[in-house]
């Protein structure tokens, strides 16, 4: 017979491989237990990046000695009573795997005392070997101490990264937990030094300040929205704040930090064309939904979840994000927010975000106006109706900037960016209803194409048609343009067509189509604009400003560049050193 049942010790070590990947995983599991025990203070003490010692102390409900006896057994949990509970998990833990797993790969000591007990008890587990539970003097709550992690699994130990990296993983874990539980005091110490001391606060925004730092936190706009049973609460960066990676993108589901593709995608989808390529926003997103609508039992370390109604969640998040940004975008950027030096916009390109969703914009337009909770605290007048029309225009300088006075100060408008945004929105509206206005060309223009381009174009003729371009074969290696979008100024269209063919080459799945359509819109919009260095008549300037008032996201061009920069009186006073 070749099959044997694994010993408990072996099974625990195998399970530990999934749950305990590195010191930070231990920290995560222990904090989760402390939070499940309703602690209001959690201290984390680390030595040598966790390889020598991890100690987590809480002031929660503690364990009776009988509980301690079995706490480190496999599948021992106080959090699931019946099978149905598995489908409505309200606690962070539920698998009963953390303590046995940790205990099997380290030297673990658990001291615990429930608030009503006069003394505490201690449990020791040494590489999976349990010792007798014995009385001990200890404070109310629980302290779990892990020494010499992976001492008996040298292969694991070898996989650990540099102490700096391991420590940064620990910090990340603590930060994520802290973001989700602002009312809990978190203290993190490493080798005797305070790394984080987040005192309890009432307001999630204050916790953001503690965790993300003032610089990032102050740029985040809060919003909250309920959609059916899904509650979305988020703190979002608005352009031009962005980051080259997703480092500041935090998503939480029912108080649990998760790395969920759907949620990340939904957030980025919500930002749409407002981010430059390769840029990510800072977002702290919390969604709350009925426990029975999320399956948290899909990942051993519980980093992933499955939603019962995935597309509802996706839509709720992306629509809320978009709505919040839309409101925000109508408010001109104050001077201090423009990153003059750090981001010269040199790398502006099409295709701002690599996402693969489809058709959302359609549904978005049809979205009923809700009267649900939707608040953008901290902004007294979210939408300034007719802001651009209310500007007093002084004229155009340098052939591309409009100089204006607003009611609060001086405003400069980039006519190219402004026109691009206006053209983009107009085209998008036309595209959405399937009617892009076109102009027939009296004199057809020919485009010479390579064999590859010919092939591509043949397949994409209907897409081109959709955008307002009519094309007909015109001899070998040649197509004739017979109509073009009305929005494009008269001129040579072959460049635009050629560029669109190149861009459409990447679109093979219909899922990506919508994204690409929008990028192509940006291309057409870009080709349609009044190029810099063209003098505008006063009447044209006025029309441009009025058109901006009709656009969403009027303060940025479709590539994410600002349309408007405003100097308030305070900004000017500061520039002239009247105010220090
Ligand atoms: P789970 O959290 O999945 O239930 P664990 O192995 O993490 O499994 O913990 C086992 C049990 O030990 C928990 O269900 C809980 O009852 C108890 N426990 C663990 N840590 C604490 C703590 N800090 N305070 C109170 N009880 C705890
Ligand atoms: Mg647990």
């Amino acid at each position: 017979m070749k099959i044997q049942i694994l010993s408990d010790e072996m099974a625990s070590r195998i399970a530990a491989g999934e749950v305990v990947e590195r010191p930070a995983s231990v920290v995560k599991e222990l904090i989760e237990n402390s939070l499940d025990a309703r602690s209001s203070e959690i201290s984390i003490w680390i030595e040598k990046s966790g390889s020598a010692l991890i100690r987590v102390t809480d002031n929660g409900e503690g364990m009776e000695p009988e509980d301690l006896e079995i706490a480190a057994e496999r599948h021992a949990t106080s959090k699931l009573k019946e099978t149905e509970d598995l489908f409505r998990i309200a606690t962070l833990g539920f698998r009963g795997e953390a303590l046995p797993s940790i205990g099997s790969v380290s030297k673990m000591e658990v001291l615990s005392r429930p608030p009503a007990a006069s003394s505490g008890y201690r449990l020791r587990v040494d590489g999976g070997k349990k010792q007798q539970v014995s009385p001990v003097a200890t404070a109310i709550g629980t302290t779990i101490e892990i020494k010499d992690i992976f001492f008996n699994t040298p292969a694991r130990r070898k996989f650990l990264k540099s102490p700096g990296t391991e420590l940064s993983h620990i910090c990340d874990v603590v930060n994520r937990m802290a973001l989700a539980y602002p009312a809990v005091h978190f203290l993190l110490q490493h080798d005797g030094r305070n790394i984080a001391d987040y005192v309890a606060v009432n307001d999630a925004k204050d916790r953001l300040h503690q965790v993300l730092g003032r610089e990032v936190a102050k740029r985040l706009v809060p919003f909250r929205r309920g959609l059916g049973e899904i509650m979305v609460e988020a703190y979002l960066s608005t352009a031009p704040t962005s980051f080259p990676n997703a480092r500041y993108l935090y998503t939480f589901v029912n108080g649990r930090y998760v790395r969920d593709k759907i949620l990340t995608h939904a957030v980025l989808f919500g930002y749409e064309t407002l981010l430059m390529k390769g840029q990510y926003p800072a977002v702290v997103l919390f969604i709350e939904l009925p426990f029975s609508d999320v399956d948290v039992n899909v990942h051993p370390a519980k980093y992933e979840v499955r939603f019962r109604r995935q597309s509802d969640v996706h839509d709720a998040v992306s629509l809320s994000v978009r709505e919040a940004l839309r409101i925000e975008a109508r408010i001109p950027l104050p001077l201090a927010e423009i990153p003059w030096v750090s981001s010269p916009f040199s790398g502006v390109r099409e295709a701002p975000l690599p996402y693969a969703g489809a058709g959302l914009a359609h549904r978005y337009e049809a979205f009923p106006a809700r009267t649900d909770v939707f608040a953008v605290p901290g902004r007294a007048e979210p939408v300034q109706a007719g802001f651009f029309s209310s500007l007093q225009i002084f004229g155009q300088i340098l052939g591309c900037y409009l100089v204006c006075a607003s009611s609060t100060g001086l405003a400069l408008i980039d006519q190219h960016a402004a026109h691009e945004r206006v053209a983009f929105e107009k085209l998008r509206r036309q595209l959405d209803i399937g009617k892009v206005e076109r102009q027939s060309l009296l004199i057809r223009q020919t485009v010479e194409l390579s064999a590859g381009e010919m092939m591509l174009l043949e397949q994409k003729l209907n897409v081109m048609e959709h955008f307002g371009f009519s094309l007909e074969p015109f001899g070998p290696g040649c197509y004739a343009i017979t109509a073009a979008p009305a929005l494009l100024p008269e001129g040579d269209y072959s460049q635009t067509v050629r560029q669109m063919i190149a861009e459409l080459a990447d679109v093979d799945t219909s899922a990506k189509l919508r994204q690409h359509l929008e990028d192509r819109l940006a291309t057409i919009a870009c080709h349609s604009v009044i190029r810099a260095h063209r003098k505008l008549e006063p009447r044209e300037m006025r029309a441009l400003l009025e058109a901006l008032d009709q656009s969403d996201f009027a303060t940025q061009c479709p590539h994410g560049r600002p349309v408007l920069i405003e100097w308030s009186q305070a900004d000017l006073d500061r520039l002239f050193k009247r105010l220090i």
Side-chain angles (χ1 to χ4, degrees), residues 33 37 58 62-63 71 76-79 93-100 142:
N33 282 346
D58 68 44
M63 283 173 270
T77 178
S78 55
K79 301 168 195 175
F94 56 89
R95 297 167 70 106
E97 269 184 351
L99 293 188
T142 303

Side-chain angles (χ1 to χ4, degrees), residues 431-447:
L431 192 74
D432 276 345
I433 55 168
K435 276 198 212 120
V436 173
E437 270 177 57
R438 62 181 68 218
Q439 48 187 337
S440 298
L441 305 188
L442 292 176
I443 305 167
R444 26 172 76 193
Q445 296 182 6
T446 51
V447 218

Side-chain angles (χ1 to χ4, degrees), residues 50 74 109 167 242 244 246 383 450 455 491 494 497-498 511 550 578:
R74 291 189 61 220
E109 190 167 285
L167 185 62
S242 63
V383 181
S450 69
M455 290 256 306
S494 58
V497 167
R498 186 165 284 130
Q550 306 304 315
R578 285 159 167 259

Side-chain angles (χ1 to χ4, degrees), residues 29-30 32-37 39 58 60-63 67 70-73 76-80 92-100 110 112 141-144 302:
E29 294 295 335
L30 297 184
E32 285 190 353
N33 282 346
S34 296
L35 289 169
D36 282 344
S39 311
D58 68 44
E61 65 193 26
M63 283 173 270
D67 289 326
I70 57 164
E73 299 292 327
T77 178
S78 55
K79 301 168 195 175
L80 287 185
L92 293 168
F94 56 89
R95 297 167 70 106
E97 269 184 351
L99 293 188
V110 185
S112 197
T142 303
T143 293
I144 303 189
K302 300 162 290 181

Side-chain angles (χ1 to χ4, degrees), residues 23 28 34 122 127 155 177 188 192 239 301 305 317 351 377 385 419 434 505 576-577:
K28 169 179 179 285
S34 296
R122 168 167 57 204
M177 297 281 183
L188 170 63
V305 293
V317 170
H419 200 102
F576 285 103
K577 310 275 184 244

Side-chain angles (χ1 to χ4, degrees), residues 205-220 241 243 248 337:
K205 183 92 189 170
D206 294 332
R207 186 48 61 89
L208 296 188
H209 276 266
Q210 295 170 326
V211 174
L212 304 177
R214 279 171 48 86
E215 261 312 295
V216 174
K218 76 169 193 238
R219 291 166 189 269
L220 302 185
T241 302
F243 302 88
Y248 289 109
E337 303 286 315

